[in-house]
């Protein structure tokens, strides 16, 4: 009982060690980036200079003295007028705006300087997070800037945190401002996960079984891609504006599927496996349909199906929480608790984030709570829990494999001499017959004077004699076949060659024993009796019978040796 407790404690140290190592690594990176992070660019906010007119679909117009106009409903238009201050002195300036789900046109003193493009008058083509960078003329200071925003979805636009004038050469810094660490960690994790996808994909093909690391790596890519996209950071690495705007939708709603595969992989209760499979299939089917609609010419996209996608994603996540807690047995998976609580914490953060999203969108007039703090926490927790689980599980699996190989090796190895034992000999015989080898020479060897060595000089001397003989047998015969300690003072060597080669090797072995005897290493004569049987197609007998006959020949040889003494 005490040994079992010690074993569990020892196993529990591994994930804790990994977690501490990862935590220290992240802390070190954080300190490095805080000390050497990218400095904030010069940015002139226009929040205090805005006047707004909201054009409703029924033709009504509402005017606001600022940009605090609440929710802009789908199809409504906001015209924001900004009197640019005379004291703005940013050179090579551009108008900078980061928004979601809107079509933007920009004018200066009534002259259109930027017109957003969308196809066939379908405003649904233009959803997702966009960053607009519109170059301004050199004499922009003091002039009137007009921004026309047409909403493609019900979105609270009140919080224009990122509307202003910035130098075109520093626009990228605006994205990284206070987010340089997030950018570096996210893109690093995605790159590492991509490498892992290729590695585990190849492993899965080789093993003919999906490796746990494959869905984990895919999930890491998708969840980081969603977060990366939601922070609009794909603009830093990809020039395709539409891709940058929509990638977070594709990644977010695809991410539950590899997560479901992970859970299916670790649960071991049949009913729970079936339940995970059924709910995942329904979600996958709907995701395929929704994606087909999104990519089709129909005037619908993910933003039009958010409620149903959120509902199905929520049902799937609740199913997975249920599965991870009730579908696994602790005894069959030492590290399941890492996944249980990691996924639970992450999913709770995700649920709070969904609540925050919907409360902000449908019940409030201001997007006063737009932080990604909960999302960041959820991603960090689930990423770490999956990585720690994978490393811990894989390490234990690898250690167990090595232990089994060592036990198997011991099962076929003689403890004293280190050479193969009788069980190994039978295994070699099976392989010999499996390869249909019909020509070989079976040699049977018996050490002389082992009883004398044990009785008169002690078992240590007898063991020394056995070890010396075994080494010479292996050095002589191993390259041309296999050897084994048959038991006691008896050994077997199989020569996979003609009879002449076997005779030569037997002679070499005897000469080696004669050299040992001449050296005086033992206080008695060192020798061995040998007998062999040559087998070919014409006089074939099976290897076990050949050993028996070689033993008989050796016995006759031993009697002759005793008679000549």
């Amino acid at each position: 009982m005490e040994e079992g407790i010690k074993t569990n404690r020892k196993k529990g140290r591994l994930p804790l060690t990994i977690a501490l190592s990862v935590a220290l690594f992240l802390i070190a990176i954080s300190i490095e980036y805080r000390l050497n992070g990218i400095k904030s660019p010069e940015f002139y906010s226009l929040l205090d200079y805005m006047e707004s007119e909201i054009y409703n679909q029924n033709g009504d117009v509402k005017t606001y003295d600022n940009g605090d106009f609440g929710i802009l409903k789908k199809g409504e238009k906001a015209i924001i007028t900004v009197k640019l201050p005379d004291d703005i002195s940013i050179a090579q300036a551009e108008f900078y705006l980061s928004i979601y789900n809107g079509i933007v046109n920009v004018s200066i003193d009534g002259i259109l300087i930027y017109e957003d493009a969308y196809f066939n008058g379908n405003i649904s083509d233009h959803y997702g997070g966009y960053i607009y960078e519109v170059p301004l003329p050199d004499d922009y200071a003091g002039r009137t800037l007009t921004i026309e925003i047409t909403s493609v979805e019900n979105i609270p636009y009140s919080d224009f945190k990122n509307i202003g004038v910035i130098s075109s050469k520093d626009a990228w810094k605006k994205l990284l401002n206070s987010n340089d660490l997030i950018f570096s960690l996210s893109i690093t994790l995605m790159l590492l996960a991509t490498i892992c996808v290729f590695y585990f994909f190849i492993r899965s093909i080789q093993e003919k079984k999906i490796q746990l690391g494959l869905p984990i790596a895919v999930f890491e890519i998708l969840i980081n891609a969603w977060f990366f996209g939601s922070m609009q950071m794909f603009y830093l690495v990809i020039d395709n504006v539409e891709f940058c705007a929509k990638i977070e939708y594709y990644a977010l709603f695809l991410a539950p599927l590899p997560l479901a595969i992970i859970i299916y992989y670790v649960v071991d209760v049949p009913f729970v496996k079936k339940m995970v499979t059924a709910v995942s299939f329904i979600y996958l089917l709907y995701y395929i349909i929704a994606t087909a609609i999104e990519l089709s010419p129909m005037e619908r996209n993910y933003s039009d199906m958010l409620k149903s996608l959120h509902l199905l994603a929520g049902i799937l996540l609740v199913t997975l929480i249920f599965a991870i807690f009730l579908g696994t047995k602790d005894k069959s998976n030492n590290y399941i608790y890492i996944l249980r609580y990691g996924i639970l914490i992450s999913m709770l953060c995700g649920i709070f984030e969904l609540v925050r999203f919907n409360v902000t969108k449908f019940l409030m007039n201001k997007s006063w709570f737009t932080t990604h703090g909960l999302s960041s926490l959820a991603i960090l927790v689930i990423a770490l829990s999956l990585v720690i689980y994978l490393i811990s599980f894989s390490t234990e699996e690898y250690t167990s494999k090595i232990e089994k190989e060592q036990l198997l090796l011991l099962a076929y190895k003689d403890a004293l001499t280190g050479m193969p034992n009788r069980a190994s000999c039978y295994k070699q015989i099976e392989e010999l017959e499996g390869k249909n080898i019909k020509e070989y020479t079976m040699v049977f060897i018996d050490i002389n004077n082992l009883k004398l060595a044990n009785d008169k000089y002690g078992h240590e001397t007898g063991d020394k004699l056995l070890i010396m003989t075994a080494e010479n047998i292996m050095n002589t015969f191993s390259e041309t076949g296999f050897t084994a300690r048959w038991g006691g003072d008896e050994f077997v060597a199989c020569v996979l060659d003609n009879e002449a080669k076997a005779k030569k090797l037997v002679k070499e072995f005897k000469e080696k024993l004669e050299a040992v005897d001449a050296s005086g290493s033992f206080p008695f004569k060192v020798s061995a009796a040998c007998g062999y049987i040559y087998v070919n197609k014409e006089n074939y007998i099976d290897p076990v019978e050949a050993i028996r006959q070689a033993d008989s020949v050796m016995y006759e040889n031993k009697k002759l040796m005793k008679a000549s003494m």
Side-chain angles (χ1 to χ4, degrees):
M1 184 70 179
E2 184 64 28
E3 286 186 10
I5 295 173
K6 287 181 180 178
T7 302
N8 289 333
R9 285 176 181 171
K10 187 176 181 180
K11 287 181 177 178
R13 291 174 189 165
L14 180 61
L16 179 60
T17 302
I18 297 169
L20 288 174
S21 300
V22 173
L24 289 173
F25 173 73
L26 293 176
I27 291 171
I29 289 181
S30 301
I31 293 172
E32 171 67 19
Y33 272 92
R34 288 307 92 200
L35 294 176
N36 302 295
I38 296 170
K39 295 180 180 179
S40 300
E42 184 180 2
F43 182 76
Y44 200 106
S45 175
L46 300 178
L47 277 174
D48 297 332
Y49 304 96
M50 297 169 58
E51 291 183 359
S52 309
E53 290 182 345
I54 308 302
Y55 291 79
N56 299 326
Q57 290 180 317
N58 60 8
D60 292 341
V61 181
K62 293 183 180 180
T63 303
Y64 298 84
D65 293 334
N66 50 43
D68 189 11
F69 49 79
I71 291 178
L72 196 63
K73 296 180 180 179
K74 183 176 181 178
E76 291 184 342
K77 182 181 293 184
I79 297 180
I80 302 169
T81 304
V82 180
K83 178 64 175 177
L84 296 174
D86 295 323
D87 59 350
I88 302 180
S89 58
I90 297 175
Q92 297 178 329
E94 62 182 20
F95 169 68
Y96 185 96
L97 175 64
S98 172
I99 64 169
Y100 265 80
N101 306 310
I103 299 167
V104 175
N105 295 327
V106 182
S107 303
I108 191 163
D109 288 345
I111 301 173
L112 188 67
I113 59 174
Y114 178 83
E115 183 177 18
D116 224 340
Y118 56 97
F119 300 102
N120 303 321
N122 179 18
I123 62 174
S124 294
D125 282 342
H126 226 70
Y127 70 95
Y130 280 75
I131 290 177
Y132 294 89
E133 298 176 57
V134 181
L136 296 174
D138 294 338
D139 58 346
Y140 67 90
R143 300 174 70 175
T144 300
L145 189 69
T146 304
I147 306 104
E148 180 184 290
I149 302 174
T150 303
S151 178
V152 304
E153 187 186 347
N154 296 351
I155 289 294
Y157 277 115
S158 305
D159 192 1
F160 284 96
K161 290 181 178 178
N162 293 311
I163 183 170
V165 177
I166 193 171
S167 171
S168 58
K169 63 181 181 180
D170 289 335
W172 64 276
K173 292 182 181 179
K174 181 64 179 172
L175 272 175
L176 284 184
N177 185 24
S178 301
N179 292 317
D180 49 346
L181 176 61
I182 294 174
F183 171 81
S184 300
L185 288 177
S186 292
I187 201 166
T188 300
L189 286 172
M190 280 192 287
L191 289 173
L192 289 174
T194 302
I195 295 171
C196 288
V197 165
F198 285 106
Y199 171 75
F200 286 112
F201 179 74
I202 294 171
R203 280 283 306 279
S204 297
I205 294 175
Q206 292 174 340
E207 300 290 334
K208 296 181 180 179
K209 177 185 176 182
I210 293 178
Q211 301 295 298
L212 178 62
L214 182 59
I216 288 179
V218 172
F219 177 79
E220 295 284 356
I221 290 174
L222 291 173
I223 205 68
N224 275 283
W226 165 69
F227 188 66
F228 206 68
S230 69
M231 300 292 286
Q232 299 179 319
M233 288 189 176
F234 273 109
Y235 285 88
L236 292 168
V237 292
I238 297 175
D239 198 30
N240 188 317
V241 176
E242 185 176 357
F243 174 84
C244 292
K246 298 182 179 181
I247 183 61
E248 59 178 302
Y249 285 94
Y250 291 106
L252 175 62
F253 293 119
L254 191 58
L257 292 172
L259 185 61
I261 295 174
I262 297 167
I263 303 303
Y264 178 87
Y265 188 101
V266 299
V267 299
D268 45 24
V269 177
F271 167 74
V272 176
K273 277 184 174 287
K274 291 178 181 178
M275 180 180 65
V276 170
T277 302
V279 177
S280 300
F281 178 77
I282 293 171
Y283 181 84
L284 173 61
L285 185 63
Y286 187 80
Y287 177 82
I288 292 172
I289 294 171
T291 304
I293 293 173
E294 203 278 331
L295 295 173
S296 72
M298 297 174 62
E299 296 186 6
R300 290 183 66 82
N301 53 53
Y302 281 152
S303 64
D304 298 310
M305 299 178 276
L306 277 180
K307 289 183 181 179
S308 55
L309 283 166
H310 282 168
L311 177 62
L312 282 175
I315 292 173
L316 179 56
L317 293 179
V318 171
T319 302
L320 296 181
I321 292 177
F322 173 83
I324 200 69
F325 274 88
L326 301 180
T328 56
K329 300 171 184 176
D330 291 337
K331 291 181 180 179
S332 64
N333 194 326
N334 293 308
Y335 302 114
I336 193 63
Y337 69 92
I338 301 173
L339 277 187
R340 281 179 177 172
Y341 297 106
I343 291 176
L344 178 61
I345 293 171
S346 298
M347 289 183 178
L348 287 175
C349 290
I351 291 170
F352 280 124
E353 192 75 350
L354 282 175
V355 171
R356 191 275 308 166
F357 174 84
N358 287 285
V359 167
T360 301
K361 179 178 177 181
F362 299 109
L363 300 180
M364 303 182 64
N365 290 324
K366 289 185 178 182
S367 55
W368 62 277
F369 189 48
T370 57
T371 178
H372 283 79
L374 286 174
S375 301
S376 305
L377 180 61
I379 291 170
L380 180 63
V381 171
I382 199 166
L384 289 180
S385 63
L386 287 172
V387 170
I388 293 171
Y389 176 81
L390 177 61
I391 295 174
S392 302
F393 180 81
S394 300
T395 302
E396 183 180 24
E397 193 176 51
Y398 178 75
T399 303
S400 177
K401 182 180 178 182
I402 294 299
E403 288 175 352
K404 287 179 181 178
E405 289 177 352
Q406 289 176 341
L407 288 173
L408 190 62
L409 186 63
L410 290 174
Y412 290 108
K413 191 175 183 180
D414 179 60
L416 175 64
T417 63
M419 75 184 304
N421 57 15
R422 184 184 291 203
S424 176
C425 186
Y426 282 124
K427 188 170 181 289
Q428 293 285 350
I429 287 171
E430 288 179 8
E431 293 179 5
L432 196 70
E433 293 177 322
K435 294 176 182 177
N436 200 29
I437 295 174
K438 299 297 184 181
E439 183 180 19
Y440 61 87
T441 301
M442 197 66 71
V443 182
F444 201 91
I445 302 167
D446 184 281
I447 304 174
N448 295 322
N449 296 325
L450 179 62
K451 188 175 186 306
L452 173 66
N454 286 326
D455 293 345
K456 187 174 181 179
Y457 300 101
H459 285 280
E460 185 177 340
T461 302
D463 290 346
K464 182 180 176 183
L465 178 63
L466 283 167
I467 292 170
M468 179 277 299
T469 305
E471 288 177 350
N472 281 293
I473 291 172
M474 287 188 288
N475 292 336
T476 305
F477 296 98
S478 291
E479 289 185 5
T480 56
F482 63 85
T483 60
R485 183 181 180 189
W486 192 248
D489 55 2
E490 298 174 334
F491 298 84
V492 170
C494 181
V495 180
L496 302 178
D497 210 324
N498 56 42
E499 187 176 9
K501 179 68 173 179
K503 283 183 177 180
K504 180 181 178 183
L505 293 177
V506 170
K507 182 180 179 183
E508 286 182 11
F509 169 67
K510 288 185 173 182
E511 288 173 351
K512 288 178 180 178
L513 292 191
E514 289 172 2
V516 173
D517 183 59
S519 69
S521 301
F522 293 89
F524 48 81
K525 184 170 180 58
V526 176
S527 63
C530 300
Y532 69 86
I533 291 292
Y534 172 68
V535 177
N536 57 25
K537 289 182 180 180
E538 287 72 27
N539 67 337
Y540 181 77
I541 57 175
D542 67 78
V544 175
E545 176 61 22
I547 290 174
R548 190 188 68 77
Q549 292 188 23
D551 183 17
S552 297
V553 174
M554 180 278 301
Y555 181 72
E556 293 300 324
N557 180 259
K558 196 176 187 73
K559 286 197 298 183
L560 291 174
M561 291 179 72
K562 285 184 177 180
S564 64
M565 288 180 180

